Amino acid sequence: MPPLLAGGGRTTTHNERQKFAFFRNPPYLSTSMNALVRLQNWYASQLDGDWEHSYGIRIETLDNPGWWLEIDLSGTGIPDRPFERVRLGAPGHDAEWIDCRLEREKFIASGGVHRLEDMIGVFLTWATADR
C-alpha cells in the first residue's frame, strides 16, 4: 500500500496511519444507531434539571469550510478520563482534516465538511468507553 500523505504533503507516521485506519473502519458506527442518534442519547442521559441550563452541546459551521463541535463536560465526571488528541490533516490543505481535543472541561472538535459524524464518533467512543 502506498504511503498516505498528511497535511503539507509529508508521509505519515505509523501512528498517523493507525488514526487514518480508525476513520476507514470507525468503531463508533453501528448498524442500528448512527452517531447523531447516539449523541442525542448521551445528551439525554446528562439531563438532570440543572446541567442542561448551564452546559450543553454546540455544533456550528466554519468558514474554511468545516464543522465545530463543542461539548461542555462540566458535571459529567468525564473530564478526568485520559484523552489523546486526534489530529489528522490540516485546515485549508486537506478537505478531510479533523482535530479533537480537551480544553477546560470541554471536548472541542473541528473538521472538514464531511467529518462531523467522525467528530461526534470520536467523542462518543471516548465518553462512553468503560473505564
Side-chain angles (χ1 to χ4, degrees):
M1 174 160 88
L4 295 171
L5 296 180
R10 64 179 176 73
T11 303
T12 61
T13 65
H14 175 70
N15 191 34
E16 288 172 322
R17 280 192 295 278
Q18 287 179 316
K19 288 180 182 178
F20 278 113
F22 175 85
F23 293 109
R24 280 195 297 272
N25 247 337
Y28 51 83
L29 290 182
S30 163
T31 57
S32 62
M33 196 178 346
N34 71 32
L36 186 55
V37 171
R38 290 183 59 219
L39 181 62
Q40 290 173 157
N41 291 343
W42 179 86
Y43 174 75
S45 73
Q46 303 308 309
L47 306 180
D48 64 4
D50 292 318
W51 184 85
E52 62 272 20
H53 295 283
S54 301
Y55 311 110
I57 299 171
R58 284 183 30 210
I59 299 175
E60 300 177 5
T61 56
L62 299 174
D63 63 358
N64 59 352
W67 293 100
W68 176 267
L69 172 65
E70 184 177 302
I71 302 173
D72 199 320
L73 303 170
S74 301
T76 65
I78 298 173
D80 299 331
R81 293 182 180 190
F83 179 81
E84 184 180 336
R85 186 175 192 163
V86 175
R87 183 185 271 173
L88 299 170
H93 292 86
D94 300 303
E96 300 302 317
W97 64 279
I98 189 170
D99 183 10
C100 304
R101 63 196 178 279
L102 291 184
E103 283 183 18
R104 296 180 296 268
E105 294 194 352
K106 291 183 181 182
F107 176 87
I108 298 184
S110 50
V113 295
H114 299 290
R115 289 297 188 197
L116 179 59
E117 189 169 31
D118 292 325
M119 293 160 42
I120 293 169
V122 168
F123 169 73
L124 291 168
T125 299
W126 169 72
T128 61
D130 293 333
R131 289 184 175 207

